[in-house]
Amino acid sequence: MGAVMGTFSSLQTKQRRPSKDIAWWYYQYQRDKIEDELEMTMVCHRPEGLEQLEAQTNFTKRELQVLYRGFKNECPSGVVNEETFKQIYAQFFPHGDASMYAHYLFHAFDTTQTGSVKFEDFVTALSILLRGTVHEKLRWTFNLYDINKDGYINKEEMMDIVKAIYDMMGKYTYPVLKEDTPRQHVDIFFQKMDKNKDGIVTLDEFLESCQEDDNIMRSLQLFENVM
């Protein structure tokens, strides 16, 4: 817009060569139009209005603008696929293997199971994890551990997540880590959470166990910190 106004001002002051000024303005207009069209073809998805996201999350409009700017810097197309998500996440854990945890985390973000995460998906999850209630955070964590989305957590699912977390943190964080440490961790969780001893943990059991046991809450907080 500034370029157009500058050219318009030039048209007013340079009356002696109007044809060249008009030709230059037309050239600038066509160039800007082509650039806009190229940008539109590169952007696969544009987010919902910030006012709507502000109403749906715990972020202010200004915070959403900052978050979107950062999201677009990493993902110019407006969406992120799993491979890109893994590459971004790996940067934060250079001493470990974050690929499997990033895989599980990506699918927790991708609530519609489309194979891509939009800005709306990202900011909604971030709002829960950073500013949600304890109940909201625990529900989101349950969904992360419920890998097959059948409404329950079994030992294999919890083992997969916990093992992925240990792999991600790396050997420098856990210098005395034994091979069976993740399994011991899972056994402790299940002993406390599986109230009726049927081999699975329901959402109600998960919520009740976490909120009544300070040790479990601290353990969960440790894993939330890797988010």
Side-chain angles (χ1 to χ4, degrees), residues 90-173:
Q91 298 174 18
F92 298 100
F93 300 93
H95 299 301
D97 180 3
S99 59
M100 281 310 300
Y101 186 75
H103 166 76
Y104 296 131
L105 195 62
F106 178 85
H107 285 281
F109 274 90
D110 182 19
T111 55
T112 56
Q113 303 302 303
T114 60
S116 62
V117 172
K118 304 186 296 293
F119 177 68
E120 295 92 321
D121 302 324
F122 169 74
V123 79
T124 298
L126 203 62
S127 173
I128 293 172
L129 292 169
L130 296 180
R131 297 182 180 173
T133 64
V134 171
H135 192 270
E136 289 172 336
K137 290 178 180 180
L138 289 175
R139 287 182 67 94
W140 197 93
T141 303
F142 179 89
N143 183 64
L144 171 65
Y145 279 77
D146 180 17
I147 296 174
N148 64 7
K149 309 307 177 192
D150 64 353
Y152 307 98
I153 300 174
N154 58 43
K155 271 195 174 184
E156 287 70 26
E157 288 174 319
M158 186 169 284
M159 180 65 189
D160 287 342
I161 297 289
V162 172
K163 178 68 165 56
I165 291 173
Y166 276 110
D167 289 344
M168 177 177 62
M169 300 307 290
K171 61 182 180 180
Y172 297 107
T173 304

Side-chain angles (χ1 to χ4, degrees), residues 20 29 55 60 74-75 80 95 103 124 138 169 174 188 204:
K20 289 186 178 180
Y29 169 76
T60 65
E74 293 289 346
C75 315
V80 57
H95 299 301
H103 166 76
T124 298
L138 289 175
M169 300 307 290
Y174 296 96
I188 292 171
D204 288 339

Side-chain angles (χ1 to χ4, degrees), residues 46-64:
R46 292 187 180 278
E48 302 169 358
L50 292 183
E51 292 80 7
Q52 184 175 348
L53 286 175
E54 185 178 8
Q56 294 172 345
T57 68
N58 297 312
F59 294 119
T60 65
K61 186 175 182 179
R62 174 59 181 162
E63 288 171 331
L64 289 167

Side-chain angles (χ1 to χ4, degrees), residues 24-35 37:
W24 175 250
W25 176 86
Y26 182 74
Y27 165 75
Q28 290 283 83
Y29 169 76
Q30 290 294 335
R31 188 187 68 176
D32 292 345
K33 182 179 178 183
I34 291 172
E35 288 178 352
E37 289 174 350

